[in-house]
Amino acid sequence: RAICIDESTGRILWNRRVFSQGGATAPRIHKKNSHASPTPVITPDGKLYVHFGHQGTACLDLKGLILWTNRNISYAPVHGNGCSPLVVGDKLFFSCDGARNPFVIALNRHTGKVVWRRERNVDAKKKFAFCTALLIEANGRQQIISPGGDAVMAYDPTSGEEIWRVRYNGYSVVPRPVYGHGLVFLSSGFDHPTFYAIKPTGQGDVTDTHIAWTFTKGAPHTPSPLLVGDELYLVSDGGIGTCLDAKTGEIHWRERVCGSCSASPFHAAGLIYILDEGGRSVVIKADKTFHKLAENEIGERTLASCAVGDNAFYLRSAKHLFKIQKL
């Protein structure tokens, strides 16, 4: 389903069933996942894109009218759906990293038709991943950065050509990469994640030549990294926070900041907000020295990252959707 909620009142404006699937035949999901984990995307021309992984992808207008659907892209999921779609010009990109034969694909976002598809071509025991891709520009060229099982690849958005790749040992990759200071930052996933800083300027397999630095102690399995100025902030799944120098990987501080954590931290007005799975939010100062400023509780399990807009935070828990704003 796609649901539109009035952001001022919380009233449901429309509720549209996009796809139907019998519960008895639906692939099993992880206890932390749902069939609707991917985040929807809205474009300036009034299009809403919803993605349900192997169950299908659709485009709606902002009144809930379904404009197109595509249920022809099939693969064998592991633990359900994960990656959110990425809009690049007239294309809608996402990865299909299932149990076998992983690939990435770009659809025409106006019609839902396939523009290009590229196989991952990795020799990995566990090929599945859930990572949302990142669009960057390096050396005057756009690149789609898309981590998968055992490797991260950069693709040309126009043709789908693989520009470069870096190999690692990892699967079930969740954290989205970030980019700054001429480096791509990403975590390699399970079982023992390594955090990488990669120069996105090479061609082909650049594993031996373009890794600027790595970090292993406290690299996240699930929360995405956060880049604020010259500092990188990581939160491990166990609730350990780390502040690194983005250019060198030098550790500024490392502290327990919260309980078990799946949501990604975010930055607003000089402050960093971290939400743990128990419903506790922690506010720290964005600084090379650790300063915890506040803690708050909502009393419900929380796995999803916050949405931020119009001076408000939108927080989804196990039972409610919260809007948090200064009145």
Side-chain angles (χ1 to χ4, degrees), residues 277 298 300-304 315-322:
E277 294 177 7
I298 63 165
E300 290 185 18
R301 190 171 191 241
T302 50
L303 299 177
L315 190 161
R316 186 181 68 181
S317 69
K319 297 180 180 180
H320 295 89
L321 178 66
F322 293 85

Side-chain angles (χ1 to χ4, degrees), residues 219-267:
H221 292 85
T222 307
S224 299
L226 177 65
L227 178 63
V228 181
D230 292 336
E231 280 71 58
L232 269 167
Y233 298 88
L234 310 180
V235 181
S236 74
D237 290 46
I240 302 299
T242 305
C243 176
L244 303 173
D245 183 287
K247 298 175 184 177
T248 66
E250 175 190 354
I251 299 175
H252 293 312
W253 56 257
R254 177 176 163 81
E255 301 282 346
R256 171 163 293 283
V257 293
C258 61
S260 296
C261 190
S262 290
S264 298
F266 64 95
H267 172 257

Side-chain angles (χ1 to χ4, degrees), residues 74-182:
S74 61
Y75 62 98
V78 178
H79 302 320
N81 306 319
C83 87
S84 302
L86 173 71
V87 172
V88 184
D90 288 334
K91 299 179 183 65
L92 189 72
F93 172 94
F94 51 88
S95 57
C96 301
D97 293 313
R100 51 192 173 272
N101 304 321
F103 60 93
V104 297
I105 197 164
L107 308 183
N108 182 306
R109 74 176 184 90
H110 302 295
T111 66
K113 305 298 183 183
V114 175
V115 178
W116 53 257
R117 168 177 167 158
R118 295 292 177 266
E119 308 304 313
R120 290 284 204 182
N121 294 322
V122 290
D123 184 21
K125 275 189 175 183
K126 296 182 178 180
K127 299 178 172 62
F128 64 94
F130 306 96
C131 192
T132 298
L134 177 71
L135 179 68
I136 71 167
E137 185 172 315
N139 287 344
R141 181 182 187 183
Q142 284 191 324
Q143 301 181 16
I144 296 174
I145 309 299
S146 178
D150 271 12
V152 55
M153 292 84 162
Y155 298 97
D156 183 292
T158 303
S159 64
E161 170 198 355
E162 183 181 310
I163 302 170
W164 57 263
R165 71 168 56 195
V166 166
R167 291 173 283 108
Y168 49 66
N169 293 316
Y171 66 95
S172 193
V173 185
V174 177
R176 192 184 191 191
V178 294
Y179 178 59
H181 304 290

